[in-house]
Amino acid sequence: MTRTPRSAEPRAPRSRVPSRDLRRDLYAAGAAALLVTAAVLIGRHIEDTRHTLRVGWPPVLGSWGPHAGPGTPAALLVAALTVAYGPALAARLPWRALLPLAWGTSTAWIFSLALIDGWQRGIAVRLTTRYEYLQVIDRFHDIPATLRDFTHHILLPSPDHWPAHIAGHPPAATLTFVLLDRIGLRGGGWAGVWCVTVGATACVAVLVAIRALADERLARRAAPYLVLAPAAVWMGTSADAYFAAVAAWAVALLALAVTRGSLPAAGASGLLFGLTCYLSYGLTLFALIGAAVLLLGRRRVRERPVLLAPLLAGAAVVPLAFTLAGFDWWEAYHLLVTRYYQGAGGTRPYGYWVWANLACTVLITGLATAAGLRRTAAVLIHARGLGQSGNPSPARTRLALLVAAALLALLVADLSGMSKAETERIWLPFAIWLLPACTFLPRPRAWLTAQAVLALLLNHLLMTGW
């Protein structure tokens, strides 16, 4: 028998699937980068010629100002360590150790990015500007009376009208900082520390939800992306980081309720959902994400429908308390719509912001998330194509459905026209639920590097504001 020379042996064809998928990921990331570029160039032209965007560096509310600060070395160190060791630690650490590590690293990342602007500008004065909550602390000396009178100061022509952020949110947002002041945590520094430390727990809540609804492996893969999110640039220091954490824990507790049949978790989830609606009007859209969780846990809900009782009872607590105190949520919302169009919302063109808002979303979630959303769509299409024949990875499909629900909520917010500009801050609660799409990506260190570089560039090149 003659042996065929090795050079003449037929070679098995190499699979082109991984390289094709990678190219598609890069195309998605490239399209997202082009969207941001278009938003910058077109926005700059509109603002220079018509002055209707009302932002300093379209599509972001801020201004061009390259700078460094005391947080620069720390931010570089946190980014480097998370990229180098994050994926391995997330895969190997015990679950109970991973959660506090994720929270601690997220806190360090947010603080270090904020301190690039220095303690005063980056943290201490963020919540004390003329638009912010701490400006009206003294007007809440009689809380019940202020709540009864709250709607009388929303419109611009009204006497002593509320500053923009107070008028733009239900009173639970402002009341949080009033209560911090009452217990001795006074001033912008404490308020900023509160928002960062509480806001950083949002990543833990998302991990808990993914583990409950999908599986632990996917949650572990998501951890470094949630920690090193570009959204951290705007989470330090804004009240929306705090709102994001409350909403995230509402979803996480609901996930635990429907997967474990826990009545206390259902009640706590309802309580936080109610609070979420009284922190921000727009976060009522979290009902879409909550509905997705109920859909994913429908089997347990059918087996134990009593879970809905504490959920609904908990959700009624905060609305009932504020209503009895004299605050009418619906009246306030309708007045807010009028106030919105009395101010910048009346001049900002919907035709630009309806797509430029999505460019802002790219900036807070990163190019990796754009590629991850492409893979999310592929997972859902693949699952649909399998029909009843079985799904080889139900956990991936369940996670994809959760991400898709968050994306749907964000798109509804966009189409509503009530979020024209400043969505890099306002949409933080939705953005953190898009980040788990990155779990579908290979080569985590490369994508994490892209995420970290984007955040560092944004914070060092722009003077962000809100």
Side-chain angles (χ1 to χ4, degrees):
M1 178 182 294
T2 60
R3 182 175 179 83
T4 306
R6 180 176 296 272
S7 58
E9 289 179 357
R11 295 182 179 180
R14 291 183 179 180
S15 172
R16 295 176 179 264
V17 174
S19 61
R20 184 171 66 246
D21 282 343
L22 178 59
R23 283 199 304 272
R24 290 174 177 172
D25 293 339
L26 294 176
Y27 291 154
L34 287 175
L35 178 65
V36 173
T37 303
V40 172
L41 296 178
I42 296 173
R44 187 72 271 158
H45 173 73
I46 294 173
E47 184 63 13
D48 289 344
T49 57
R50 303 177 193 172
H51 313 290
T52 56
L53 299 187
R54 305 286 291 275
V55 294
W57 197 82
V60 172
L61 183 65
S63 59
W64 180 259
H67 63 289
T72 297
L76 291 170
L77 180 62
V78 172
L81 290 176
T82 304
V83 170
Y85 302 106
L89 285 174
R92 297 172 186 170
L93 280 177
W95 179 253
R96 290 186 178 181
L98 175 61
L99 295 182
L101 179 63
W103 172 71
T105 309
S106 178
T107 303
W109 178 234
I110 298 169
F111 264 126
S112 61
L113 288 173
L115 289 172
I116 291 171
D117 295 339
W119 169 259
Q120 280 299 115
R121 189 184 187 281
I123 296 175
V125 302
R126 287 285 194 183
L127 295 167
T128 64
T129 65
R130 64 193 181 100
Y131 301 112
E132 286 285 0
Y133 304 96
L134 270 63
Q135 285 291 319
V136 300
I137 295 294
D138 293 340
R139 292 175 62 177
F140 278 75
H141 61 278
D142 184 341
I143 292 175
T146 306
L147 292 178
R148 287 193 298 270
D149 198 43
F150 192 89
T151 56
H152 298 152
H153 304 284
I154 292 178
L155 298 180
L156 281 178
S158 61
D160 298 323
H161 63 261
W162 296 119
H165 288 185
I166 292 82
H169 294 81
T174 308
L175 197 55
T176 298
F177 299 101
V178 171
L179 295 177
L180 286 175
D181 184 82
R182 294 281 176 90
I183 64 173
L185 303 180
R186 299 183 177 91
W190 281 114
V193 169
W194 165 267
C195 290
V196 171
T197 53
V198 174
T201 68
C203 74
V204 179
V206 176
L207 292 177
V208 169
I210 295 173
R211 183 175 186 249
L213 295 170
D215 65 20
E216 186 173 313
R217 182 183 63 85
L218 289 173
R220 289 176 177 276
R221 286 181 61 86
Y225 292 104
L226 287 161
V227 165
L228 213 58
V233 173
W234 287 273
M235 293 183 78
T237 305
S238 75
D240 294 87
Y242 157 55
F243 304 161
V246 174
W249 281 109
V251 174
L253 288 167
L254 182 60
L256 292 176
V258 301
T259 54
R260 298 182 181 179
S262 170
L263 295 177
S269 173
L271 185 66
L272 291 183
F273 268 117
L275 177 58
T276 297
C277 295
Y278 277 72
L279 290 172
S280 174
Y281 296 103
L283 294 187
T284 54
L285 290 171
F286 258 75
L288 293 172
I289 303 176
V293 174
L294 291 174
L295 176 66
L296 293 172
R298 61 189 180 277
R299 186 178 68 177
R300 180 59 64 91
V301 174
R302 283 198 299 264
E303 292 172 353
R304 201 176 187 197
V306 71
L307 285 169
L308 297 177
L311 175 66
L312 296 174
V317 171
V318 173
L320 183 61
F322 276 94
T323 301
L324 291 176
F327 172 74
D328 188 329
W329 191 97
W330 282 106
E331 179 189 5
Y333 174 72
H334 289 302
L335 290 170
L336 168 64
V337 174
T338 302
R339 166 73 180 263
Y340 183 72
Y341 287 99
Q342 289 175 336
T347 59
R348 286 171 171 162
Y350 181 86
Y352 171 78
W353 288 111
V354 73
W355 60 271
N357 282 337
L358 301 180
C360 292
T361 305
V362 172
L363 293 177
I364 60 178
T365 60
L367 298 179
T369 302
L373 288 175
R374 184 205 73 80
R375 293 213 176 212
T376 300
V379 169
L380 292 174
I381 292 169
H382 179 62
R384 182 179 177 85
L386 287 172
Q388 300 298 319
S389 62
N391 189 340
S393 183
R396 287 165 62 90
T397 303
R398 294 163 73 83
L399 177 57
L401 283 168
L402 186 64
V403 172
L407 180 60
L408 175 61
L410 184 146
L411 292 175
V412 172
D414 187 30
L415 294 173
S416 74
M418 289 295 291
S419 299
K420 291 182 288 189
E422 304 181 55
T423 51
E424 67 274 9
R425 170 184 58 82
I426 298 169
W427 286 356
L428 287 174
F430 301 113
I432 60 172
W433 291 96
L434 300 182
L435 293 166
C438 298
T439 61
F440 300 128
L441 296 171
R443 303 176 177 86
R445 286 192 177 88
W447 288 110
L448 283 169
T449 299
Q451 298 287 84
V453 168
L454 175 60
L456 291 166
L457 286 175
L458 286 170
N459 218 141
H460 282 91
L461 295 179
L462 297 179
M463 303 297 289
T464 56
W466 41 85

